Amino acid sequence: MNNTTFRKSLLAATIAGAMSLPATAIAQDQDEGMQDQDVERIQVTGSRIKRTDMETASPVEMVSSEEVRASGYTRVEDLMATLPQLETAAQNSFVANGASGVANLDLRGLGANRTLVLVNGRRLQPGGVYSQAADVNQIPTALIERVEVLTGGGSSTYGSDAVAGVVNFVMKKDIEGFEVSLGTSGYQHDNSNDYMQNLMDEAGFEYPTDGSGIDGKTYTVDVSGGSMFAGGKGSATFYATYRTNDELLQGERDHSSCALNSAGTACGGSSTAPVPNFFISPYANGAPDFDEEVFWSLTENGTFEPFSDNLYNYAPINHFMRPNDRYTFGSFVNYEANDNFRPYLETSYMHDRTAGQIAQSGIFYQNFVFDVDSDVFSDQQRQQFNDQFGAGTDQVMAYIGKRNIEGGPRINNLEHNSYRIVAGATGELSSMWEYDVSFQYGSTQSSSVYQNDFYVPRMPQVLGAAGAEECGEGCIPYDVFQYQGVTEEAAQALGGTAILTGITKQRIVNAFVTGETDYSLPSSDYNIAAVFGVENREVDFERAADEVYQLGALAGQGGPTNSLIGGYNVREVFTEINLPVVEDASWANNLTVDLGYRYSDYNTSGGEPAYKVGVDWQVNDDYKIRGTYNRAVRAPNVAELFAEQGLGLWTGTDPCAGSNPEYSPEQCALTGMSADQYGNVSANPAGQYNGIFGGNTNLDPELADTMTFGIVGNPTDNFNFSVDYWNIEMEDRIGTISAELILRQCAETGEAQYCNAITRSPSGDLWRGTEGFVTATNVNLAESNNTGIDANFNFNTEVGGGQLAVSLTGTYYMTKEVTTVPGLEGTTYDCAGKINSNCFPQPDWRHSMNFTYSTGDWWSVGAKWRYLGSTEYDGDTDVVLGDGLGSTSYLDLNASFDVTDNVSVLLGMNNALDKEPQLVGGVLSLNGNTMTGYEDALGRYLFGSVTFRF
């Protein structure tokens, strides 16, 4: 490696340290005078073989600490969402209904459980009572040295889960001195959406106008420090951080102050309303007569009238962004006893608390039988029953829809306590070989306390249902048949609480040796390098649900939440071989081949190999060609294996329901519907139906083949680029077959595997009560094919006495294809460039472009252009405003100032032009009529911080 090579390696690393770049350096001509000099060898994500620069055959994207700081983001998921290679995960701070309190990363949109998250090259443990993926809330943004993103497999190096790739957070470990940073941020938005305001005027709903002021505020305190000790043999770094942010409700933005209907053309709402609605039918001989069923609403004078537009606007009280309090602290200690023994220790702890608030609970069309002569009915109501169902009607069955506005919103308090310890040692075995032995233990304790949801077992008594215990002393009647007859005391007495507690444990013993052999290929002057290692990993997960959760006793839960206990152990051997093939040939400066192999033996699913082949061809001084092939493996996680099968909800359509069913009587008979029921089974107004979901201990590992091929160029001293094609093909994907697909396949084919999964209730439906459902548990079945091109361009030049650095990182998505049932026509869909009920929006092209200008003096400024290409709506129903989502651009600005040698200030704003999110209808909305996390949903993000160094 000559001086030119070394300088260019440092240049590439320096540029990459200022912005997001591929971790690639371009080699130059060999210089014999430099080969004998010692240069530091580093380990780059994707390989355990140490190298003299950031160069690998696999594409590695890098985000530096400078870019992390300039972004102003205090949540890791917000920072990572700006990378084109990552898709917004299902869990982030903008999820309220169904929030788990964690934050996950999702490379290529293949699912968070297929992205492996590392800290300093070692696995981050999963966290949360609901989650099997790593919770990046554990990572303090202020301590990030850099983020390395390996896109395209990594199972042979790191084991299971690295199907889509690896995200490695490299933390600052050699801090000298003491540093305190104080920061604040918040959102600001001009509420001027004429479309939404007109819809709310038509509906008679209230909404905010004009500027929001600064809301959703965040406050942070980051403390870090470190020093050398023992005469320079050791170094110790510690950190402590605190972060808190205020809640922000949907009612604080005009575009989210009402819930749009499915088509996005009107303010919708729930028929579970403050003034109750009822499905009522006569009840005799132990059964209701659904042929006579009516849908009535209560009126102000206490009588019933046919339902028309009695809907509840549940949107304003929902969280748009959850409140959050988070503490972290930890340390990194390294000590060099001698060349042969260098122990190290890493510790980290996080306490995180958040709450997801959604609209009030209520009686969500639970059914109850009432005596017509009961005191709960007025004389006028009894007369209506006799007029509607005939004189002498003794009992009626009522499906009640009543929103509990008297009792306040439902709140899920979520808490996580995570800690992680890594202890190990590295050292020289000889002048050519090093060893690394480590033990890692990570654990997350978590809880979910769901409050103020209605306790279903208490309902019959307080409603006065037939056969229920009389509501006597200490019982407060919940009078739904009297207009505004429900009191605050009655609502609070009917409230219930459910509690989940969980703990995740991950234990890893890892040992490997790395170095150079005494052997080389005849065509090369360089020795073959290798890694040989073993690993034992054990994961245990336990979630304990109280009786309320297990019985599904809360009205708004959609079914039981069961306890989950399980775990697995895997024993692995792995190796990597780096083969220098040729140097200084007429057709190549050098050519290197990387090989990798890992065999994993799971006690749950048996053995499975993973392997890789990589080629790094330095064509000349300025260009190189690289390519990789990876066989990646993902073993089923604890939840996929051991989750107890139980009742839940799925969203869609029962094609045999309604007065005019989609299928014929003969087809619907195959799904379990009788001839008398055909045309008389009501569809659920909310589009939600019962399903049986859960784990499967017979699952096999998922398999994926990942290929990349690209070119890297450095045609001038101030310009470099990389362009890489990638392809990820998966088979045996773990998941469920859509419950609606099961219904349709049964009706169309009559095959037993589909029809046997359908159980209709005695009334023929799949949503009232719990007797009707579709069974859709985990299976190995689906396939997928994802292809695209990643591009990176970097330019640096002198302007006006300062340095201007420009970089662009973009991804062009060519294919994002999923086949849920291989071989079955109509079960393949391609999400590239699309948005629909199956497809999270995936633009064909997405990029992030950075501009940084610095004079090397006391100030620097930066700007970022984030671009999301358009996505076409591709579905059966018009549920998007227009034909899809148009292209969107965001402008982010930042400026930093070194006030003194010890004080610096950062100011900035993201989405500086207050670009409003595009609206989607209720079927597609993630939260607040928007694709939260994909687009900036809350408006302009303002931030500032001041840092003191001692």
Side-chain angles (χ1 to χ4, degrees):
M1 185 177 188
N2 63 22
N3 289 312
T4 305
T5 305
F6 193 57
R7 284 196 302 272
K8 288 215 169 185
S9 297
L10 291 178
L11 173 62
T14 301
I15 297 174
M19 61 196 71
S20 177
L21 290 180
T24 307
I26 307 300
Q28 296 289 314
D29 294 335
Q30 299 297 320
D31 185 327
E32 297 298 331
M34 188 66 184
Q35 291 182 19
D36 296 332
Q37 296 186 22
D38 291 332
V39 293
E40 181 185 3
R41 293 179 177 269
I42 56 177
Q43 189 170 300
V44 183
T45 300
S47 174
R48 285 190 167 89
I49 294 177
K50 292 189 175 183
R51 304 167 186 271
T52 57
D53 54 34
M54 301 292 286
E55 184 176 325
T56 66
S58 300
V60 178
E61 183 76 19
M62 191 166 74
V63 182
S64 71
S65 59
E66 288 82 3
E67 185 176 0
V68 172
R69 182 172 180 268
S71 74
Y73 291 122
T74 58
R75 291 185 295 244
V76 168
E77 71 267 25
D78 294 340
L79 167 71
M80 300 304 293
T82 65
L83 290 180
Q85 295 89 346
L86 275 90
E87 183 176 285
T88 301
Q91 287 297 330
N92 55 54
S93 297
F94 303 102
V95 176
N97 195 354
S100 67
V102 301
N104 307 131
L105 301 180
D106 183 2
L107 279 169
R108 306 297 191 199
L110 289 174
N113 54 356
R114 299 182 182 94
T115 298
L116 180 61
V117 179
L118 309 175
V119 175
N120 293 332
R122 298 180 180 88
R123 284 175 178 262
L124 186 64
Q125 80 269 19
V129 290
Y130 301 106
S131 177
Q132 299 290 303
D135 178 14
V136 295
N137 281 326
Q138 301 174 65
I139 300 169
T141 56
L143 265 291
I144 296 175
E145 177 68 30
R146 66 181 184 273
V147 186
E148 296 173 357
V149 181
L150 171 71
T151 53
S155 290
S156 63
T157 304
Y158 301 109
S160 180
D161 302 339
V163 173
V166 178
V167 180
N168 183 21
F169 293 90
V170 181
M171 311 304 289
K172 299 176 182 178
K173 294 184 291 185
D174 297 314
I175 296 176
E176 286 280 357
F178 185 71
E179 183 174 294
V180 178
S181 182
L182 308 176
T184 186
S185 61
Y187 295 89
Q188 188 277 327
H189 177 63
D190 180 20
N191 290 297
S192 58
N193 190 307
D194 292 337
Y195 180 83
M196 286 298 299
Q197 291 185 10
N198 288 335
L199 293 183
M200 286 183 283
D201 286 339
E202 293 174 7
F205 295 156
E206 296 182 355
Y207 53 85
T209 58
D210 302 323
S212 66
I214 298 179
D215 52 18
K217 297 176 183 177
T218 297
Y219 302 94
T220 61
V221 179
D222 302 310
V223 179
S224 60
S227 68
M228 305 295 291
F229 63 90
K233 289 186 175 183
S235 66
T237 298
F238 73 90
Y239 67 88
T241 73
Y242 169 69
R243 180 189 179 281
T244 183
N245 71 260
D246 300 335
E247 67 179 6
L248 202 152
L249 302 178
Q250 289 184 26
E252 297 177 69
R253 296 290 184 269
D254 61 350
H255 58 261
S256 57
S257 287
C258 84
L260 288 172
N261 62 4
S262 293
T265 56
C267 285
S270 171
S271 62
T272 305
V275 176
N277 296 305
F278 308 91
F279 287 95
I280 300 178
S281 57
Y283 189 86
N285 301 318
D289 184 356
F290 289 111
D291 292 337
E292 301 293 325
E293 186 177 63
V294 293
F295 190 19
W296 282 347
S297 300
L298 192 65
T299 66
E300 291 186 26
N301 62 13
T303 59
F304 301 114
E305 66 179 6
F307 172 84
S308 58
D309 58 355
N310 181 29
L311 298 175
Y312 174 57
N313 180 23
Y314 55 83
I317 202 168
N318 283 265
H319 274 150
F320 215 152
M321 182 178 69
R322 301 192 313 271
N324 179 244
D325 289 296
R326 185 186 309 160
Y327 305 84
T328 66
F329 59 83
S331 63
F332 306 97
V333 180
N334 297 274
Y335 181 73
E336 185 174 0
N338 52 54
D339 291 341
N340 307 113
F341 182 61
R342 298 189 294 270
Y344 54 83
L345 177 68
E346 299 180 11
T347 64
S348 63
Y349 172 80
M350 179 203 71
H351 170 79
D352 181 78
R353 182 179 176 85
T354 185
Q357 176 175 297
I358 61 173
Q360 302 92 338
S361 183
I363 307 177
F364 295 107
Y365 290 107
Q366 280 87 3
N367 64 301
F368 304 91
V369 176
F370 295 91
D371 296 324
V372 171
D373 62 0
S374 170
D375 291 341
V376 301
F377 298 123
S378 67
D379 291 339
Q380 292 173 298
Q381 291 169 341
R382 274 188 282 270
Q383 185 61 48
Q384 283 187 279
F385 295 149
N386 288 325
D387 293 343
Q388 181 71 32
F389 305 129
T393 300
D394 295 325
Q395 290 185 319
V396 293
M397 174 180 281
Y399 285 85
I400 303 171
K402 166 69 173 80
R403 183 69 61 160
N404 181 41
I405 63 168
E406 299 84 3
R410 287 168 283 174
I411 298 175
N412 189 9
N413 289 309
L414 298 154
E415 189 169 322
H416 299 85
N417 290 279
S418 302
Y419 64 93
R420 181 173 178 268
I421 299 173
V422 178
T426 184
E428 295 181 1
L429 294 173
S430 69
S431 60
M432 302 286 285
W433 289 87
E434 294 183 358
Y435 71 90
D436 190 305
V437 178
S438 63
F439 171 77
Q440 177 181 330
Y441 180 81
S443 179
T444 299
Q445 297 176 333
S446 52
S447 64
S448 166
V449 180
Y450 208 98
Q451 298 175 316
N452 211 28
D453 204 349
F454 268 8
Y455 186 62
V456 175
R458 199 178 296 139
M459 285 185 183
Q461 181 186 23
V462 298
L463 290 171
E469 183 181 347
E470 183 179 353
C471 189
E473 184 178 354
C475 174
I476 305 175
Y478 195 84
D479 195 348
V480 296
F481 296 104
Q482 178 184 339
Y483 184 77
Q484 295 184 346
V486 175
T487 65
E488 183 177 340
E489 291 76 17
Q492 291 177 347
L494 194 50
T497 298
I499 300 174
L500 281 176
T501 58
I503 184 169
T504 299
K505 300 176 183 178
Q506 178 179 266
R507 290 173 290 273
I508 302 175
V509 177
N510 179 281
F512 64 90
V513 293
T514 178
E516 294 183 3
T517 69
D518 292 328
Y519 304 99
S520 64
L521 296 179
S523 55
S524 174
D525 295 329
Y526 289 87
N527 292 334
I528 297 171
V531 167
F532 301 98
V534 296
E535 181 170 301
N536 184 283
R537 185 169 70 255
E538 184 175 352
V539 176
D540 296 307
F541 184 89
E542 179 177 343
R543 181 178 71 202
D546 69 357
E547 185 178 15
V548 178
Y549 261 130
Q550 292 191 63
L551 293 176
L554 297 182
Q557 296 299 302
T561 300
N562 297 310
S563 297
L564 170 62
I565 300 176
Y568 61 85
N569 177 268
V570 56
R571 295 174 294 177
E572 300 176 302
V573 294
F574 58 89
T575 184
E576 291 182 67
I577 307 293
N578 178 259
L579 294 171
V581 177
V582 69
E583 301 87 33
D584 299 326
S586 60
W587 52 274
N589 280 11
N590 59 69
L591 177 67
T592 303
V593 175
D594 290 321
L595 305 174
Y597 181 85
R598 175 181 289 252
Y599 184 80
S600 304
D601 184 13
Y602 285 84
N603 67 331
T604 52
S605 56
E608 195 70 44
Y611 40 86
K612 72 172 181 180
V613 178
V615 177
D616 198 325
W617 175 18
Q618 187 75 52
V619 180
N620 54 40
D621 291 349
D622 299 321
Y623 295 96
K624 81 177 207 176
I625 295 173
R626 61 188 180 188
T628 63
Y629 166 79
N630 286 269
R631 162 54 64 97
V633 176
R634 188 184 79 86
N637 61 37
V638 174
E640 291 165 336
L641 289 167
F642 302 109
E644 184 176 339
Q645 297 182 3
L647 192 69
L649 292 177
W650 55 273
T651 300
T653 300
D654 178 356
C656 289
S659 59
N660 186 24
E662 181 179 339
Y663 289 125
S664 68
E666 294 76 17
Q667 289 175 310
C668 290
L670 295 172
T671 73
M673 182 174 287
S674 69
D676 292 338
Q677 292 168 343
Y678 183 80
N680 297 307
V681 174
S682 298
N684 187 340
Q688 293 182 323
Y689 297 87
N690 295 330
I692 298 293
F693 307 101
N696 180 354
T697 55
N698 295 317
L699 291 173
D700 294 322
E702 298 177 337
L703 303 178
D705 292 314
T706 300
M707 290 177 285
T708 67
F709 178 79
I711 182 172
V712 182
N714 195 171
T716 67
D717 288 341
N718 60 351
F719 175 68
N720 62 70
F721 69 90
S722 67
V723 179
D724 291 280
Y725 166 83
W726 50 269
N727 178 297
I728 304 173
E729 293 188 5
M730 289 189 64
E731 60 185 42
D732 293 334
R733 281 182 59 151
I734 298 169
T736 61
I737 303 176
S738 159
E740 183 174 335
L741 178 62
I742 291 173
L743 279 167
R744 293 184 179 278
Q745 284 303 300
C746 171
E748 294 174 8
T749 68
E751 293 185 15
Q753 63 173 321
Y754 301 112
C755 296
N756 291 344
I758 304 169
T759 302
R760 291 191 177 273
S761 71
S763 61
D765 64 52
L766 296 168
W767 62 277
R768 300 187 203 195
T770 60
E771 295 179 278
F773 52 83
V774 177
T775 301
T777 54
N778 291 331
V779 292
N780 283 103
L781 189 60
E783 298 176 349
S784 65
N785 181 28
N786 292 42
T787 63
I789 296 174
D790 289 338
N792 196 291
F793 302 92
N794 309 282
F795 177 73
N796 195 319
T797 188
E798 184 175 337
V799 176
Q803 286 292 317
L804 173 66
V806 182
S807 69
L808 183 144
T809 301
T811 294
Y812 177 71
Y813 234 106
M814 302 167 63
T815 307
K816 190 179 182 182
E817 190 175 86
V818 176
T819 301
T820 54
V821 184
L824 180 62
E825 185 178 356
T827 62
T828 298
Y829 54 91
D830 188 350
C831 291
K834 302 290 197 313
I835 176 176
N836 56 45
S837 57
N838 290 319
C839 299
F840 188 88
Q842 180 61 67
D844 289 330
W845 173 257
R846 178 181 177 183
H847 75 241
S848 179
M849 189 172 187
N850 285 287
F851 303 83
T852 304
Y853 182 77
S854 174
T855 62
D857 199 357
W858 62 279
W859 62 272
S860 64
V861 294
K864 176 182 286 187
W865 171 27
R866 290 181 284 134
Y867 175 80
L868 303 169
S870 61
T871 54
E872 175 188 356
Y873 176 67
D874 180 22
D876 299 326
T877 307
D878 182 14
V879 294
V880 181
L881 302 181
D883 297 325
L885 298 179
S887 60
T888 300
S889 290
Y890 296 104
L891 174 64
D892 302 340
L893 302 172
N894 68 81
S896 60
F897 308 92
D898 292 327
V899 180
T900 70
D901 290 342
N902 300 319
V903 180
S904 61
V905 174
L906 172 69
L907 299 172
M909 62 177 73
N910 298 336
N911 188 11
L913 302 180
D914 190 20
K915 180 76 172 181
E916 191 164 274
Q918 300 177 79
L919 303 180
V920 295
V923 171
L924 296 181
S925 172
L926 296 179
N927 198 8
N929 304 319
T930 69
M931 305 302 293
T932 48
Y934 172 73
E935 293 189 327
D936 290 15
L938 301 181
R940 183 180 291 113
Y941 176 71
L942 308 169
F943 59 89
S945 66
V946 56
T947 301
F948 304 92
R949 299 177 183 86
F950 306 95

